[in-house]
Amino acid sequence: MPDFAFLLMVIVFSLTVVLMLWRPFGMNETVPTFIGAVIIILAGIVPLSDLSEIYQIISGAAFTILSTIVMSIVLESVGFFRWIAYNLVNRAQGSGIRLFVYVNILCFLTTLFFNNDGSILITTPIIIHITSLLQLKRRQKIPYLISGAITATVSSAPIAVSNIANLIALKIVGLDLNSYVNMMFIPSMLGIIVITTLIYFYYRKDIPSKISTQKLYLTGNVSNLYKHPLAIPSSLSTHEVDWKMFRICISIVIFVRAGFFILTPFGVPMEALAIGGAVALIAVRWVKSKKGITDIVKRTPWHIFLFAFGMYVLVYGLHNIGLSHFLTLHLKEYVDSSLLNGIFVSGLLLTVLSNILNNLPAVMIGTLAVVDMGLDPHTLQVAYLAIVLGSDVGALLTPIGTLATLIWMFILRSNNIHISWKEYMKLTFFVIPAGLFVSLIALYLWNGFIL
């Protein structure tokens, strides 16, 4: 690759990442990513012949993520998340510790049913409104907000469909969804348990032992207090939920998620199931309430497809100027020496790259690098799973490590809640290394056990 092309690629990628994270004037992260991709294509660093291959890699994942977000919007419009918020506080029965547990369970399940970014968008407003209505002090709110965000993000590791980066790379290493879950669920769950337990002990003095819920039941319609489109009135009474429509919609969601694992082995495309589920939910809502799709069109982040496409073009550019070859050349000996070494080298590499570059480009660079190492299929797949742990868990060390964390901080600022990088990283440097270490060790032991 000529020196000019190498220099141009480095400059364009660096500026793209800076603008994507800085977002001057409220710029959407898709804008610099797409412009950078266009520059790289015009410069010939990524030839036109590669574009169809890139489209094939990202299209299914992007359509799946978009469809699950559409499904979440429909469920929110029929009262699903308002019902969750009401019951979350009700079941806590005045215990702040019990509320902490339920908040983390909510974030975990929301990520499993939708995806990590969608989970942040759904659960963060719920947590903000609950802690505000309970009139908790700032130091009492922080444990719920930070633990919820971290749990929502790391919970994308157990199943591949909860993270667009996991889905995109899945095809490259030859893993299907069922194999991924079989090899990854137990190791990642152990890491999640370690992380949430450590967060509890870190904040145990700030989590109130008793909370007063009386004010929630005395409050009338408080929806005017909420500015976020996914705002959840915690004083919701049960008659505000259309339970018949609620049950139909939940049944559709469960069928779609089950279909990912049951039907895809028979050749049914994952994106077809996701799109079908989204269309079914929209149709049910229209039949039952005559609501159109205007709110869905406005609130669905269609730019995700362009963002994924642009970012992958940039990663291909880095690959073409030799970054993945450089990593392959210098790390192959360590990754191939033993399975344990391969797991830790891959996981730690992606932790570093994710916290510098953001985990979406990092997981793609790491995957391309290990693919080029010529590893046997099992070692390749386990190394990829370690990459996922680095990008989904290790990336949480800094706020720029994941797009979900950036979205979370944006929502907090919009609600006048300020958490500094220092405050965030004091926690993450205490809990994330331990959770990552346990997950990587468990990945090695578990895959030795199931073989």
Side-chain angles (χ1 to χ4, degrees), residues 1 4-5 8 37-46:
M1 181 67 66
F4 172 75
L8 177 65
V38 170
I39 294 172
I40 295 308
I41 292 170
L42 293 177
I45 298 175
V46 175

Side-chain angles (χ1 to χ4, degrees), residues 395-443:
L396 285 165
L397 283 174
T398 65
I400 65 171
T402 73
L403 182 59
T405 310
L406 294 173
I407 293 172
W408 173 71
M409 285 200 145
F410 174 76
I411 296 173
L412 294 186
R413 287 195 300 270
S414 300
N415 286 271
N416 295 316
I417 300 172
H418 300 281
I419 296 179
S420 68
W421 278 40
K422 181 179 179 181
E423 184 177 12
Y424 174 85
M425 292 171 64
K426 279 181 67 177
L427 170 71
T428 56
F429 271 81
F430 174 68
V431 304
I432 296 302
L436 179 63
F437 178 80
V438 168
S439 294
L440 293 174
I441 284 290
L443 180 65

Side-chain angles (χ1 to χ4, degrees), residues 27 38 83 108 117 140 144 157 163 188 220-221 224 227 256 291 294 323 327 335 381 443:
M27 178 189 297
V38 170
W83 174 78
F108 172 76
D117 297 334
Q140 295 174 320
Y144 299 102
N163 191 309
S188 57
N221 182 9
N224 61 310
K227 299 178 181 179
V256 170
K291 286 186 178 180
T294 303
L323 176 60
L327 295 174
V335 174
Q381 291 172 356
L443 180 65

